[in-house]
Amino acid sequence: MTTTDGVVKAKQSLPARIASRAGGGVMRVFLLLIGLFWLMPTFGLLVSSLRGPQDIAASGWWKVFTAPAQLTTDNYSRLLKNEAITDSLFASVMITVPATVLVVVIGALAGYAFAWLEFPGRDWWFMAVVGLLVVPVQVALVPVSKLFGQIGIFETTLGVILFHVAFGLPFAIFLLRNFFAEIPRELMEAARLDGAGEFRLFAKVVMPLGAPAIASLGIFQFLWVWNDMLVALIFADSQSAPITVALQRQVRQFGNNIDVLASGAFLSMVIPLAVFFAFQRHFVSGVMAGAVK
């Protein structure tokens, strides 16, 4: 193909032309519609949580557009009086926060060691960590249950936390090691020449530079632990069950407390959504930086 200036220009393929026009107004409208369609179930759950049980049983949530008087906050008032739900929310916090903090701290220390410290078998140990990424959670349920039973932490909050920490560490170490390894060696050597020890080097140089990856890891771990039901269903008892297990137990009486289920499900979903959207920029940048090493 020849332009008016006599310059030969290669004819673009159909995928290339589509990609070049992806930033146009039509594409943006299309993506906006997809986003709204993706948020529709969440919006429906919100509306259902603001309707009475009789209205929920009688019609779909979209009926509220023609009868806005159905909206009420009574469901949330009853929810806060339901001790099973409120206790489970507190249990979710008691499980999620320690499991997230421990994974971030231990993963950061181990990632720094694999990236910048020399010790025997370092590469082999890191290969073992990478290999643990492919181990499914279901494989460890029975043997870990027996182990926790022998040491007396089965059906306790501590047991749930330790299980999440154990399965969260391989990804944490892999992500942070790759991110820390991209720090310029000249910067690390300059800090050592200034007299910085390993701990000070880690705290003053590596941690600030690795903040995006650490933030993304914290968000990922928080979302995984908060939304988990399988591990908590097996390793937690009725006194330490998180919100996911509490809602699952309410399903058995679905016809009698659908209002509690709707408001409880939305409340349990709002917290991780708020955390994710508040730090999504760090999440994306951290994951991408650690994945392209």
Side-chain angles (χ1 to χ4, degrees):
M1 178 179 181
T2 304
T3 63
T4 56
D5 297 331
V7 180
V8 178
K9 184 178 180 180
K11 184 178 180 180
Q12 288 185 327
S13 61
L14 178 61
R17 292 198 300 271
I18 295 176
S20 64
R21 298 175 183 175
V26 177
M27 181 59 67
R28 291 179 182 178
V29 172
F30 177 71
L31 294 176
L32 178 62
L33 292 176
I34 292 179
L36 293 175
F37 182 77
W38 178 77
L39 290 174
M40 188 177 297
T42 303
F43 180 74
L45 182 62
L46 171 61
V47 173
S48 297
S49 69
L50 295 173
R51 301 175 72 207
Q54 295 82 7
D55 296 329
I56 296 176
S59 59
W61 61 266
W62 51 86
K63 184 68 175 179
V64 74
F65 292 110
T66 58
Q70 294 181 357
L71 297 178
T72 177
T73 58
D74 292 343
N75 292 345
Y76 289 94
S77 298
R78 286 191 292 268
L79 179 69
L80 296 178
K81 296 178 182 178
N82 189 321
E83 294 184 358
I85 299 297
T86 54
D87 291 345
S88 65
L89 280 172
F90 179 74
S92 293
V93 175
M94 295 299 296
I95 292 172
T96 305
V97 173
T100 301
V101 172
L102 287 174
V103 167
V104 170
V105 173
I106 299 175
L109 292 171
Y112 172 76
F114 280 115
W116 292 105
L117 297 183
E118 296 289 343
F119 55 90
R122 183 184 68 172
D123 294 337
W124 287 104
W125 282 110
F126 184 69
M127 290 178 60
V129 170
V130 174
L132 291 175
L133 289 171
V134 301
V135 178
V137 174
Q138 293 81 358
V139 172
L141 293 178
V142 174
V144 174
S145 298
K146 293 181 179 179
L147 175 62
F148 283 1
Q150 293 174 356
I151 61 180
I153 62 173
F154 185 69
E155 292 188 341
T156 63
T157 300
L158 178 61
V160 181
I161 293 173
L162 291 179
F163 192 95
H164 283 302
V165 170
F167 273 85
L169 278 176
F171 176 76
I173 296 172
F174 172 76
L175 173 68
L176 296 182
R177 182 265 178 190
N178 288 345
F179 194 94
F180 293 161
E182 295 180 352
I183 298 176
R185 181 174 296 273
E186 294 78 8
L187 181 62
M188 304 291 288
E189 293 176 351
R192 289 192 175 97
L193 290 176
D194 289 339
E198 295 298 337
F199 180 78
R200 186 177 180 184
L201 188 65
F202 173 76
K204 299 296 184 179
V205 178
V206 175
M207 289 292 286
L209 293 176
I214 293 172
S216 67
L217 171 63
I219 296 170
F220 187 87
Q221 180 70 9
F222 182 91
L223 296 177
W224 178 55
V225 177
W226 183 274
N227 293 321
D228 170 75
M229 186 180 70
L230 176 61
V231 175
L233 191 63
I234 295 176
F235 291 93
D237 61 0
S238 59
Q239 303 300 321
S240 60
I243 183 65
T244 51
V245 176
L247 291 176
Q248 185 270 340
R249 290 170 179 169
Q250 295 286 335
V251 173
R252 300 175 182 175
Q253 304 171 1
F254 184 82
N256 298 327
N257 51 11
I258 185 174
D259 52 330
V260 175
L261 282 172
S263 54
F266 184 78
L267 183 62
S268 68
M269 183 178 62
V270 163
I271 297 176
L273 278 178
V275 171
F276 176 78
F277 284 117
F279 300 98
Q280 60 176 329
R281 179 172 59 87
H282 298 288
F283 180 81
V284 174
S285 62
V287 171
M288 292 301 296
V292 297
K293 175 63 180 174

